[in-house]
Amino acid sequence: MTDSSTTDDESDRGTERETDRTVDQRDYVREEYGEIAASADDCCGSSPADAPGESEPTAADDRARSIGYGSADLESAPDGANLGLGCGNPVAISGLKSGETVLDLGSGGGFDCFLAAREVGPDGQVIGVDMTPEMLDRARANADDSEFENVEFRLGEIEHLPVADGTVETVISNCVLNLSPEKPRVLAEAFRVLEAGGSLSISDLVATGPLPQEVREDPDAIADCVGDAARIESLEAWLEEAGFVDVSITPEGDWSDDLPIVSARIEAQKPA
């Protein structure tokens, strides 16, 4: 039986929220991730239940390996690009091809952008969008230290992408959609910037059951990637409302011992 209070909450999160609540949540997340960018600490207080070494000095690399990245990925990206912020490997599931234009929603230090740049080659382009100036500075510094000349980083909110209509072939994102207070708008924006036949490949955290209200309203839990995680059925509905087809949400592993949160692959296509 569906919990009515949870259903109402999901419904609220599927429409425009109160402006002050939306702004407050976005500002809190921006501040928290600005501090992460400045200190190089990782986020998402919960890591996969079976991931070893979460408290080791190399926690970011440990986490990356535990969620699907290989040693070659870690070695090919600039030092400081991997901040341990992910919950999956969207580049691995996206099937990128040489020459493609790729957009990364919430690009952070640029880790997935650099991996995508490796896949699309010099004839391709990768655009990272992040709303946190400190993250943008870090990503651009990483780009300057890298061999990749086909990567650029733009300041912007994923609910209002600084990208023209129909100019991107693949949209990726890694553990960022859960942070947005306006998830349907993010998905609509992703649909807008994709060209016909383009694809969406997201790794994110989703809720498989009701979350306690105190968790939903806790800004620290939201910044830790779990408090505002959407239910799978809500994400499916929002993707279809945005116009996507071939929607697939595949749980990949438990993320928390205490909450019904799992990592998942979120994939969809814009009709050709």
Side-chain angles (χ1 to χ4, degrees):
M1 180 178 296
T2 302
D3 182 272
S4 60
S5 62
T6 302
T7 301
D8 291 342
D9 182 63
E10 285 287 313
S11 177
D12 290 342
R13 294 176 336 106
T15 60
E16 292 291 335
R17 287 184 170 191
E18 299 177 13
T19 301
D20 56 349
R21 183 178 180 186
T22 299
V23 171
D24 287 348
Q25 177 171 328
R26 190 174 290 120
D27 285 348
Y28 189 85
V29 169
R30 182 184 287 113
E31 180 179 350
E32 290 293 301
Y33 281 78
E35 293 179 2
I36 290 170
S39 66
D41 289 340
D42 58 5
C43 86
C44 299
S46 300
S47 61
D50 58 351
E54 60 182 304
S55 61
E56 295 296 321
T58 57
D61 286 350
D62 286 346
R63 176 171 290 147
R65 290 188 177 93
S66 75
I67 57 179
Y69 294 96
S71 296
D73 297 325
L74 297 171
E75 292 169 2
S76 65
D79 291 341
N82 173 32
L83 299 178
L85 305 181
C87 56
N89 183 348
V91 175
I93 66 175
S94 59
L96 299 179
K97 298 179 177 62
S98 177
E100 284 192 16
T101 298
V102 181
L103 172 64
D104 184 10
L105 308 181
S107 48
F111 184 46
D112 287 317
C113 288
F114 297 118
L115 300 185
R118 181 186 62 184
E119 298 299 315
V120 301
D123 293 331
Q125 180 185 18
V126 180
I127 303 166
V129 173
D130 202 284
M131 71 172 180
T132 307
E134 295 88 347
M135 280 293 185
L136 201 68
D137 291 342
R138 189 181 187 95
R140 286 173 173 170
N142 289 333
D144 289 340
D145 292 336
S146 79
E147 61 183 15
F148 300 106
E149 298 182 356
N150 58 341
V151 180
E152 66 170 295
F153 296 97
R154 301 178 185 178
L155 181 66
E157 297 172 349
I158 58 175
E159 299 88 354
H160 311 90
L161 289 169
V163 181
D165 295 358
T167 55
V168 173
E169 287 155 283
T170 303
V171 171
I172 63 173
S173 186
N174 197 346
C175 210
V176 174
L177 182 60
N178 67 76
L179 296 170
S180 173
E182 299 176 287
K183 295 173 181 58
R185 186 179 184 116
V186 175
L187 298 174
E189 278 288 273
F191 187 88
R192 175 183 67 80
V193 302
L194 279 170
E195 65 177 27
S199 62
L200 178 79
S201 296
I202 292 178
S203 296
D204 217 293
L205 300 183
V206 300
T208 58
L211 295 176
Q213 193 65 28
E214 60 268 23
V215 172
R216 288 279 187 202
E217 296 176 352
D218 181 358
D220 288 327
I222 292 171
D224 281 344
C225 310
V226 296
D228 206 25
R231 297 286 289 271
I232 292 175
E233 54 267 33
S234 295
L235 285 168
E236 290 172 337
W238 297 335
L239 284 162
E240 291 171 358
E241 288 168 5
F244 285 102
V245 296
D246 298 330
V247 173
S248 174
I249 300 179
T250 307
E252 295 198 307
D254 293 337
W255 195 260
S256 170
D257 292 330
D258 304 317
L259 297 170
I261 298 289
V262 300
S263 60
R265 296 167 51 168
I266 303 169
E267 300 169 278
Q269 297 284 325
K270 184 172 181 174

